[in-house]
Amino acid sequence: MEQYIMKGGNPLVGEVTIGGAKNAALGILAAAIMTDDDVLIDNLPDVRDINVLLEAIEEIGAKVERIDRHTVRINGGTIREVSVDDEYIRKIRASYYFIGAMLGKYKSAQVPLPGGCNIGSRPIDQHLKGFRALGAELKIERGAVIAHAIDLVGSHIYLDVVSVGATINVMMAATLAEGQTILENVAKEPHVVDVANFLNSMGASIKGAGTDTIRILGVDKLHGTEYSIIPDQIEAGTFMCAAAITRGDVMVKNVIPKHLEAITAKLLEMGCEVVEFDDAVRVVGKTNQKHTDIKTLPYPGFPTDMQPQMAVTLALANGTSVVTESIFENRFRYVDELSRMGASVKVEGNVAVIDGVGGFSGAFVNAPDLRAGAALVIAGLAADGYTVVDEIGYIQRGYECFEEKLQGLGAMIEKIDSDKEAKKFKLKVG
């Protein structure tokens, strides 16, 4: 069992380079099997979710060649079956992207229902609605979605709720459908745009990604391509909050500043200094940071995946902040852990009221999910004394070399393998 152990109190100072976007990479890797030609993808994050997906791609017969840590070549021409039955794939949310990819290419798919973090209800009804509108027949048996179509035909589809997963999934299937598909009320997140750009580089005809309406003109086949994944806005935002909460000075490099505008706006409201460059942002934390209110919304609103990191930062700001979570109902599971460190947070339904405190104290805490785990780490870096964060497998699903990047900024943090090893550090944690 791996854990993070850290001694807080050091302002983070220096430069950190952000990797490729995990959420974009998951959709892009699934879409890569939609051609029989070679596809070369770089700026790939080396995180657990990505590696699990690559294993699943290999399992169904595609050729996967890991050129280096961040580059992969995939050839889907050798795929033997349309049934994904891998014990690991059930642990990640993005397994459902295989439905859209294989339904589009082979008109058939059998994929386990998705797993991932327990942050609330994430039904796939909008995915199924979209596939049915394209002409597919679907059923759920023994924990798997079974999809089949004689032909896929373009359709006018209005998503009942804005869903990143459904937008990407239906967009993939519609790419190889006959005629035009119009998708309305779609997600506008940067990784939706990145998947659309990737498909277009393979010969798809997709217009409007990043707006409310996406128009897709089906093509007969897709071809090979070389593509570089966009930087990860959530990893970038996490390091921005880490700079703010530790009152540090960090240059966050290899980012697209426009993707970070909602995060930047809130840090500015708190009194932090944020300077934007062409492909970097510098965040300077201030001693007397102020409270602010946050409501999570689909892009370009404040991202739900940044809510825990911003909330722990607000827990050390002056005054009372209100955080409203409008996307996932279980996103406040970290609050009890943060309270062990001395935070003052009250949760009622989907609203957290945060009274800023003067400081945190080190404690033993558990990471309940990916983003909450990262938030507890940056809280520990701002705490007095030692903090142990357990269940860090969640964090490793989405952050590459997290502790090493933090160490590069001056953080005193180590990854250890067990409780016994922790005793070597002679820690006194609550």
Side-chain angles (χ1 to χ4, degrees):
M1 182 175 61
E2 292 184 321
Q3 301 168 323
Y4 284 138
I5 288 189
M6 67 210 75
K7 185 176 187 297
N10 283 359
L12 300 187
V13 177
E15 298 180 349
V16 62
T17 301
I18 300 305
K22 173 184 78 84
N23 290 334
L26 291 167
I28 286 169
L29 288 174
I33 69 172
M34 295 178 69
T35 176
D36 288 343
D37 299 336
D38 281 355
V39 174
L40 186 73
I41 302 166
D42 67 10
N43 201 34
L44 192 71
D46 184 15
V47 296
R48 190 167 295 177
D49 275 16
I50 296 300
N51 296 328
V52 167
L53 199 69
L54 285 172
E55 286 180 12
I57 290 172
E58 205 164 22
E59 185 76 16
I60 60 174
K63 292 180 181 177
V64 177
E65 180 186 358
R66 203 70 181 257
I67 307 297
D68 59 40
R69 190 173 185 181
H70 300 115
T71 309
V72 67
R73 181 182 288 111
I74 295 173
N75 187 297
T78 56
I79 290 176
R80 301 182 303 269
E81 54 185 303
V82 294
S83 174
V84 181
D85 186 20
D86 186 282
E87 60 177 305
Y88 299 108
I89 202 70
R90 296 176 187 271
K91 299 178 182 179
I92 66 172
R93 184 71 186 164
S95 61
Y96 54 41
Y97 287 141
F98 282 120
I99 308 172
M102 292 196 292
L103 190 59
K105 185 179 181 183
Y106 299 111
K107 307 300 182 284
S108 185
Q110 182 171 328
V111 180
L113 285 167
C117 291
N118 180 19
I119 56 175
S121 175
R122 295 189 283 181
I124 63 168
D125 59 311
Q126 296 304 299
H127 305 239
L128 304 184
K129 172 183 176 177
F131 296 143
R132 288 191 177 106
L134 294 174
E137 294 182 0
L138 298 112
K139 57 184 178 180
I140 297 176
E141 288 185 358
R142 294 187 291 276
V145 177
I146 301 171
H148 177 73
I150 297 173
D151 286 302
L152 293 180
V153 179
S155 181
H156 195 137
I157 303 165
Y158 184 93
L159 298 181
D160 299 319
V161 295
V162 176
S163 165
V164 170
T167 300
I168 291 175
N169 224 349
V170 178
M171 181 171 67
M172 286 195 292
T175 293
L176 293 174
E178 180 183 337
Q180 180 174 257
T181 296
I182 298 175
L183 282 176
E184 291 198 75
N185 195 34
V186 295
K188 298 179 280 191
E189 271 74 1
H191 44 288
V192 172
V193 178
D194 209 33
V195 176
N197 289 341
F198 172 73
L199 287 165
N200 283 339
S201 78
M202 296 169 70
S205 177
I206 302 171
K207 296 179 180 179
T211 72
D212 291 320
T213 304
I214 297 176
R215 288 176 167 81
I216 306 158
L217 186 62
V219 297
D220 291 334
K221 62 182 295 187
L222 299 173
H223 55 69
T225 188
E226 295 184 4
Y227 195 81
S228 184
I229 294 167
I230 59 170
D232 195 311
Q233 69 175 133
I234 306 303
E235 184 191 8
T238 300
F239 280 98
M240 292 168 73
C241 285
I245 197 172
T246 64
R247 278 47 172 179
D249 182 348
V250 176
M251 181 74 79
V252 185
K253 302 173 69 176
N254 187 38
V255 301
I256 300 173
K258 183 169 181 58
H259 293 171
L260 305 170
E261 285 178 345
I263 303 162
T264 295
K266 290 303 173 183
L267 290 174
L268 288 170
E269 287 176 22
M270 292 177 64
C272 297
E273 179 183 347
V274 184
V275 183
E276 292 186 358
F277 301 88
D278 287 344
D279 61 352
V281 291
R282 179 187 177 195
V283 179
V284 183
K286 302 297 181 179
T287 303
N288 294 312
Q289 290 173 180
K290 305 186 295 289
H291 63 94
T292 190
D293 295 341
I294 290 169
K295 182 177 182 179
T296 63
L297 291 166
Y299 187 85
F302 193 88
T304 181
D305 278 358
M306 278 302 303
Q307 182 258 98
Q309 302 91 308
M310 186 60 74
V312 301
T313 306
L314 290 171
L316 291 183
N318 294 328
T320 300
S321 302
V322 177
V323 175
T324 304
E325 174 56 57
S326 67
I327 310 294
F328 295 122
E329 67 269 22
N330 285 353
R331 203 98 222 209
F332 289 123
R333 293 171 63 227
Y334 63 91
V335 166
D336 287 344
E337 303 301 302
L338 192 62
S339 296
R340 293 167 60 86
M341 302 177 71
S344 177
V345 184
K346 294 180 180 178
V347 177
E348 292 186 8
N350 68 330
V351 176
V353 178
I354 303 171
D355 292 320
V357 295
F360 294 149
S361 299
F364 190 107
V365 295
N366 287 286
D369 60 66
L370 168 56
R371 306 305 176 183
L376 291 171
V377 169
I378 66 173
L381 295 176
D384 178 35
Y386 290 92
T387 296
V388 176
V389 179
D390 202 4
E391 303 289 347
I392 67 169
Y394 286 116
I395 302 170
Q396 293 167 333
R397 286 186 47 221
Y399 291 88
E400 179 181 339
C401 301
F402 194 37
E403 73 280 5
E404 294 170 17
K405 290 184 178 182
L406 290 169
Q407 288 165 358
L409 298 172
M412 296 178 65
I413 181 171
E414 296 286 344
K415 181 171 67 176
I416 61 170
D417 289 332
S418 67
D419 292 326
K420 292 181 180 178
E421 191 171 343
K423 294 178 181 177
K424 298 178 184 177
F425 288 79
K426 299 180 179 178
L427 303 181
K428 295 180 179 178
V429 294

